[in-house]
Amino acid sequence: MTWERRLLQAVVALLCLIPFTTAAAGILRGAEWLAHDAVRPDLDSHFRYLSGVFLGMALGFASCIPAIERQGARFRLLGIMVVIGGLARAWSLLSVGAPSTGHLVGLCVELGAVPLVLLWQASLQRRWRG
């Protein structure tokens, strides 16, 4: 079971690279990073705020890595936040249209990979206790 724990830790660490890099870019470069055009100050402010929240979530996930087998509640809360964000992104896809490839990859991670990793962590936690 130790090898599985280490593998889950590695997978979560790799997945954390996505929000770390995109959140940092969003905070440093603002909404123009994606719009490639001048944006209104309110949109840029909101975009940078959400990038900061995204960075906080990434830090929360990263804090679970060392004792991932005991971090079920925090891990699930963060994961549910990501899934809700993915559902909002899916709503945008249906109501506005397809975004760029990077956002579609994000949607797959949010509604595919994250729920699978949540189930994996819960399974590991149950067996670790037992």
Side-chain angles (χ1 to χ4, degrees):
M1 202 169 350
T2 301
W3 68 269
E4 184 183 0
R5 175 182 176 265
R6 292 195 193 286
L7 182 59
L8 178 58
Q9 288 171 316
V11 167
V12 172
L14 286 173
L15 286 174
C16 281
L17 292 177
I18 298 168
F20 277 132
T21 56
T22 56
I27 291 167
L28 296 173
R29 297 175 63 195
E32 285 185 21
W33 170 53
L34 294 178
H36 306 294
D37 249 341
V39 296
R40 296 177 58 179
D42 287 345
L43 174 62
D44 188 75
S45 175
H46 191 66
F47 185 86
R48 288 179 199 247
Y49 169 79
L50 292 176
S51 294
V53 171
F54 199 36
L55 180 60
M57 289 173 60
L59 291 170
F61 273 113
S63 75
C64 293
I65 293 170
I68 199 156
E69 72 283 356
R70 296 188 311 262
Q71 298 296 329
R74 180 185 313 166
F75 202 74
R76 280 188 302 278
L77 174 63
L78 292 164
I80 288 168
M81 292 169 67
V82 171
V83 170
I84 290 170
L87 292 172
R89 192 188 303 266
W91 179 266
S92 175
L93 175 78
L94 296 172
S95 60
V96 178
S100 65
T101 302
H103 289 273
L104 291 172
V105 169
L107 180 63
C108 292
V109 170
E110 294 153 359
L111 298 182
V114 170
L116 291 174
V117 170
L118 287 173
L119 291 171
W120 185 7
Q121 189 280 335
S123 171
L124 179 69
Q125 185 173 14
R126 274 191 307 278
R127 288 180 286 125
W128 198 271
R129 285 187 197 160

